[in-house]
Amino acid sequence: MARKNYTDEFRRRAVDLYESTPGATLKGIAADLGVSRGALKEWVDKFGSGTTAGAATTAPTQGRPGSPGARIARLEAENAALRAEQAKLAKLAQERDILRQAAKYFGRGDELVNRFQLVEDHKDAWGVKRLCEVIEIARSSFYAWLSAEPARAARAAADAALVSRIRVLQDPARGGDRAYGAPRITADLNEDVPAGDRVNHKRVARVMREHALAGIRLRKRVRTTIPDQSGRRFPDLIGCDFSIGAPCCRYVGDITYLPLEDGTNLYFASCIDLGSRKLTGWAMAGHMRTELVEDALKVAWCERGTLAGAVFHSDHGSVYTSKPYAALCEQLGVRQSMGAVGSSADNALADSLNAALKRELLEGRAAFPDAPTAYRAVFRWANRYNTRRRRSAIGNIAPNAYETAASATLTEAA
């Protein structure tokens, strides 16, 4: 804003500068002196000599146009203009330097947080006010972020401690399971923990995502079901109902392959209790003959003591529709059940177990080194599956724990 009060001395000097400057205009001189054109015109009319070539006669201190007073006024005006230009250039240079530093921050994660960090790191060099102006943030927001630093540090330390606990739970050498994702890890962390110390599953998922601790995934899928058009057909006694319930009543099974580095395969057959999700019986062999699935069913019979009246559900693979397998089921009192032809949903639980087996044991590798290694890995996995692996369908507890709880409930009811 221009000054409103000017001394007579200042006015006379302004008029002298105007009259003594060749080619000067009211607008140009007024701009140099920081006054309005109308004010300068009024001063010229009042104090001027009426000519730009003669000397001003109204003020004895002015003298001729080339007098020292006129030269001083002209030089002062020029100096003021130069200082203003230099200040403008310095301001632009400072803004350029700030933005160069800002470029190193803006490419990382949360842009707003990085702007705050930029101000914190360079406030001694340029000042908070100037930095906030250039990168367009409110100073109050920066100070609010700064005051929350202790809380952020505490959260970061708590997250680091949580990461260490998760790594232990995923470390097989310490009894962990690398395939565990956020839901099962959360259940492990909250087991036998007071309510006030429990960890939220969203926080666990965030921490695992930030530290690349996701469970193992496997994409490869190979068909192992070979239908036998001449085999027997059995009704669907499950009806896609894979809900949990009382153990020892309904079972499902399937076959999957386990590749070896020499190019051959081993085959794994399962017998899973629908009620408790327990892997009740399983068998491995270097072939897919009927003996493989018979062995898995016999292991389940030994585990349970009896399978009389139980339902066993499978796909239409030739081993399950064969006469020897049907004879074994009849001998053990097992009722066979089969879903629709070509429908993977009709045996989804067995498919899910097969996928988990290969995903968690191969861990993305193409094959097992050899057959003994594969046998040992499956043996350990199958037993761990029943004793320690949490299943979301049964409340994120292990199948054995579920059956123990179910048995206790039946005892109390009796």
Side-chain angles (χ1 to χ4, degrees), residues 83-142:
R83 285 194 297 271
E85 184 65 22
Q86 289 173 350
K88 182 178 179 182
L89 291 175
K91 188 175 182 179
L92 290 174
Q94 185 185 71
E95 183 173 332
R96 177 202 61 201
D97 294 339
I98 292 174
L99 292 177
R100 281 178 177 174
Q101 291 296 326
K104 303 175 183 178
Y105 288 77
F106 291 172
R108 320 172 193 160
D110 189 323
E111 183 177 328
L112 181 59
V113 170
N114 290 331
R115 287 172 188 252
F116 292 148
Q117 192 62 54
L118 168 70
V119 177
E120 172 63 14
D121 293 345
H122 298 89
K123 62 183 180 183
D124 294 335
W126 291 306
V128 172
K129 180 179 179 181
R130 180 59 178 151
L131 286 164
C132 290
E133 287 176 352
V134 173
I135 62 176
E136 300 179 345
I137 60 173
R139 274 184 290 168
S140 59
S141 299
F142 165 71

Side-chain angles (χ1 to χ4, degrees), residues 23-184:
T25 62
L26 289 171
K27 182 177 179 181
I29 297 298
D32 289 341
L33 299 180
V35 300
S36 67
R37 180 184 180 284
L40 182 59
K41 177 67 169 62
E42 181 180 346
W43 300 343
V44 169
D45 292 340
K46 183 177 180 180
F47 300 106
S49 62
T51 174
T52 58
T57 59
T58 56
T61 57
Q62 292 300 111
R64 294 170 298 135
S67 66
R71 288 196 299 272
I72 290 172
R74 185 167 61 254
L75 291 173
E76 288 178 348
E78 291 174 354
N79 285 338
L82 287 173
R83 285 194 297 271
E85 184 65 22
Q86 289 173 350
K88 182 178 179 182
L89 291 175
K91 188 175 182 179
L92 290 174
Q94 185 185 71
E95 183 173 332
R96 177 202 61 201
D97 294 339
I98 292 174
L99 292 177
R100 281 178 177 174
Q101 291 296 326
K104 303 175 183 178
Y105 288 77
F106 291 172
R108 320 172 193 160
D110 189 323
E111 183 177 328
L112 181 59
V113 170
N114 290 331
R115 287 172 188 252
F116 292 148
Q117 192 62 54
L118 168 70
V119 177
E120 172 63 14
D121 293 345
H122 298 89
K123 62 183 180 183
D124 294 335
W126 291 306
V128 172
K129 180 179 179 181
R130 180 59 178 151
L131 286 164
C132 290
E133 287 176 352
V134 173
I135 62 176
E136 300 179 345
I137 60 173
R139 274 184 290 168
S140 59
S141 299
F142 165 71
Y143 286 120
W145 175 84
L146 196 62
S147 65
E149 174 59 29
R152 286 197 302 276
R155 283 196 300 271
D159 284 351
L162 182 60
V163 168
S164 298
R165 295 172 63 192
I166 293 173
R167 291 189 190 280
V168 170
L169 293 174
Q170 287 188 327
D171 186 358
R174 303 184 188 182
D177 193 326
R178 266 182 290 212
Y180 269 19
R184 292 189 175 94

